[in-house]
Amino acid sequence: MDTKLSQGTICVQAGYESGNGRPRQIPIIQSTTFKYDTSEDMTRLFDLEDNGYFYTRLQNPTNDMVAARIAALEGGVAGMLTSSGQAANFFACFNICEAGDHMISTASIYGGTFNLFGATFKKMGIDVTFVDQDADEKDLEAAFRPNTKLVFGETLSNPGVRILDIEKFARLAHSHGVPLIVDNTFPTPINCRPFEWGADIVTHSTTKYMDGQGVQVGGAIVDSGRFDWNAYADKFPGLCTPDPTYHGITYTEKFGKLAYITKATSQLMRDFGAIQSPQNAFYLGLGLQTLDVRVKRHNQSALRIARWLQEQPEIKWVDFPELEGNPEKEKQLKYMPDGTCGVMAFALDGDRAFVSRFMNSLRLATIETHVADCYTCILHPAMHTHRQLTDAQLAEAGIDPAQLRFSVGLEDPEDIIKDLRQAIDAAKK
Ligand SMILES: *Cc1c(COP(=O)(O)O)cnc(C)c1O
């Protein structure tokens, strides 16, 4: 079938075609290794001459079927699964950026990624410049250096829900001969398809909406296949010059549009082994089958609840991109017109004790650091993630002491609203 399928159909069917009398569902190939009939068969695999499986530290059929489903959702040419979102972002950058190189990242990114870039990459000899994603293109130009290898951003940032101007960053990156890598975890390809706006590589923490049930930690990388590595061969020797660990093959020559993912699989996975277990990939595949349905429900419920919160006299402010007057609204209409995700921030009109009483009175929304899955949950940055800061320091960091991070799950939104209302009333007593 060559007609273009919609996302809902891709979610259910892409990546796996069952044969006659074969399992309907993606099978779990829980095997460390794979057997071959002849010694020569095996030799060809080790020379990357044949495509096949030999050891699950590098590649596994279950993972590849699920990765193909994610690649189809993003509209990319190839994908791979990693053991976590952290591993995905590490591999995505390290595949083309090494000691002595430089990269640019927006500053509004997930805390774990900020540490990876700002602390661990530094130890590995990679220098990262963090930029304000809303800065003018002219100011952003100044961050580029001759050894800059990539630009990184989050399409919708965790937890700030700031939207990346993908076209602006793609233009900047491409004018300097480097790719734009974006983490598309929060919107998922249901709400945003970054390749359509010029991004070259997409990463995911599949731990969030893609799994959606809170059962697996995982990550994914998808390549659009559109960045022309050979046009900037001097910047990307790892892809454009012979790899001595595979008898001198050159990835771009031998694999064309599949060069980037093939290198990440056959080199980085071989050496770091941060692969997702086939069992986890299977759970992820199940989660993906309902992604389209779930994300639409998250969109609807979050907007309904954000609007309700805005009307409550006990709520000082609500930060959610879809709300009128939100600074992200214009970018939301352009890049994520159907919705962003279920995550928002709001602040109660009261002191820390009031906020505590409110949180402790919630019955449905649970207190946890996680976000973006089927369970509605809440976190108080002043008392949890940022608890070492004083109110003055919080203000400097742009955090209201009464601010709450709220992730709307799949429960009935009217029940969540009732829960919020009774908790506000209880906190007043
Ligand atoms: C959670 C998250 C990560 C890290 O993913 P893990 O699966 O927890 O390793 C990276 N980026 C974003 C945007 C995230 O939300």
Side-chain angles (χ1 to χ4, degrees):
M1 210 160 52
D2 56 7
T3 47
K4 193 175 172 325
L5 298 172
S6 64
Q7 295 293 70
T9 306
I10 294 173
C11 280
V12 179
Q13 298 219 355
Y16 173 60
E17 244 173 79
S18 186
N20 193 29
R22 305 295 300 158
R24 184 68 198 90
Q25 182 54 272
I26 290 180
I28 308 171
I29 312 292
Q30 192 76 36
S31 182
T32 53
T33 190
F34 301 83
K35 81 157 195 63
Y36 287 91
D37 291 339
T38 70
S39 163
E40 290 72 23
D41 287 343
M42 193 69 133
T43 303
R44 282 195 294 276
L45 291 179
F46 273 97
D47 283 348
L48 300 182
E49 283 301 330
D50 277 351
N51 206 354
Y53 297 94
F54 54 99
Y55 192 44
T56 288
R57 168 154 45 77
L58 288 87
Q59 245 185 321
N60 174 279
T62 304
N63 293 35
D64 284 353
M65 290 183 257
V66 175
R69 182 168 291 170
I70 296 174
L73 284 168
E74 290 288 8
V77 295
M80 67 193 285
L81 300 186
T82 56
S83 56
S84 67
Q86 286 296 109
N89 283 329
F90 169 55
F91 276 26
C93 298
F94 195 66
N95 203 30
I96 51 170
C97 188
E98 49 196 54
D101 288 341
H102 170 254
M103 57 175 265
I104 296 169
S105 171
T106 60
S108 318
I109 52 172
Y110 175 66
T113 313
F114 194 87
N115 286 336
L116 170 68
F117 292 168
T120 300
F121 271 20
K122 191 168 230 150
K123 285 185 207 160
M124 297 170 70
I126 297 171
D127 210 3
V128 184
T129 302
F130 292 101
V131 295
D132 172 2
Q133 63 186 44
D134 294 320
D136 284 343
E137 238 164 293
K138 257 202 241 98
D139 295 335
L140 292 169
E141 285 281 346
F144 284 87
R145 302 179 192 167
N147 62 341
T148 302
K149 297 297 166 75
L150 67 97
V151 177
F152 182 94
E154 286 179 7
T155 51
L156 179 63
S157 70
N158 173 9
V161 287
R162 306 270 74 90
I163 295 171
L164 187 75
D165 187 342
I166 306 170
E167 278 189 325
K168 174 175 84 173
F169 275 85
R171 196 162 51 234
L172 269 165
H174 296 161
S175 73
H176 290 269
V178 300
L180 173 64
I181 302 181
V182 293
D183 182 329
N184 198 34
T185 297
F186 264 28
T188 82
I190 305 304
N191 281 338
C192 178
R193 299 226 306 168
F195 293 155
E196 291 172 2
W197 303 104
D200 301 287
I201 290 148
V202 161
T203 63
H204 282 280
S205 164
T206 62
T207 316
K208 314 289 166 48
Y209 291 117
M210 280 199 167
D211 158 31
Q213 326 289 318
V215 295
Q216 64 96 45
V217 169
I221 308 173
V222 180
D223 182 13
S224 68
R226 285 204 303 247
F227 191 83
D228 187 358
W229 308 104
N230 277 323
Y232 307 97
D234 54 324
K235 281 189 198 289
F236 305 106
L239 283 162
C240 305
T241 57
D243 179 356
T245 68
Y246 282 109
H247 305 303
I249 61 144
T250 299
Y251 291 98
T252 46
E253 251 173 41
K254 190 156 178 61
F255 301 104
K257 288 188 180 307
L258 305 180
Y260 175 89
I261 291 291
T262 305
K263 176 177 179 288
T265 302
S266 50
Q267 236 181 34
L268 300 186
M269 229 18 134
R270 177 196 63 193
D271 297 347
F272 293 100
I275 200 160
Q276 195 168 122
S277 79
Q279 183 77 37
N280 272 3
F282 172 77
Y283 293 135
L284 174 56
L286 287 184
L288 288 169
Q289 289 188 308
T290 57
L291 185 68
D292 186 66
V293 182
R294 288 187 290 105
V295 167
K296 284 174 178 156
R297 164 85 166 205
H298 283 290
N299 288 346
Q300 280 174 0
S301 296
L303 186 55
R304 161 88 180 100
I305 290 166
R307 287 191 172 138
W308 178 85
L309 283 167
Q310 256 187 330
E311 287 163 9
Q312 308 312 304
E314 299 88 350
I315 305 293
K316 255 196 303 193
W317 53 259
V318 184
D319 184 10
F320 187 59
E322 278 103 304
L323 294 177
E324 290 307 322
N326 188 283
E328 304 301 295
K329 179 80 187 173
E330 204 179 311
K331 280 178 279 172
Q332 180 257 317
L333 290 173
K334 176 173 174 177
Y335 292 112
M336 306 168 191
D338 298 333
T340 50
C341 70
V343 180
M344 65 186 72
F346 67 87
L348 285 167
D349 200 355
D351 58 11
R352 287 187 189 208
F354 182 72
V355 176
S356 271
R357 288 199 301 279
F358 162 77
M359 290 184 75
N360 296 343
S361 306
L362 288 166
R363 290 174 196 145
L364 285 180
T366 52
I367 301 169
E368 45 179 289
T369 56
H370 195 53
V371 288
D373 67 13
C374 64
Y375 303 101
T376 292
C377 58
I378 192 160
L379 183 90
H380 185 197
M383 279 193 293
H384 303 140
T385 48
H386 295 67
R387 66 168 293 105
Q388 71 285 3
L389 305 187
T390 64
D391 279 7
Q393 286 171 322
L394 280 175
E396 236 169 71
I399 295 170
D400 188 321
Q403 174 174 337
L404 293 158
R405 186 169 89 196
F406 194 56
S407 179
V408 175
L410 291 178
E411 303 89 344
D412 190 305
E414 303 313 316
D415 286 341
I416 299 171
I417 285 174
K418 275 185 222 155
D419 188 33
L420 290 166
R421 185 69 254 169
Q422 67 78 24
I424 295 172
D425 292 339
K428 286 185 188 166
K429 291 187 186 130

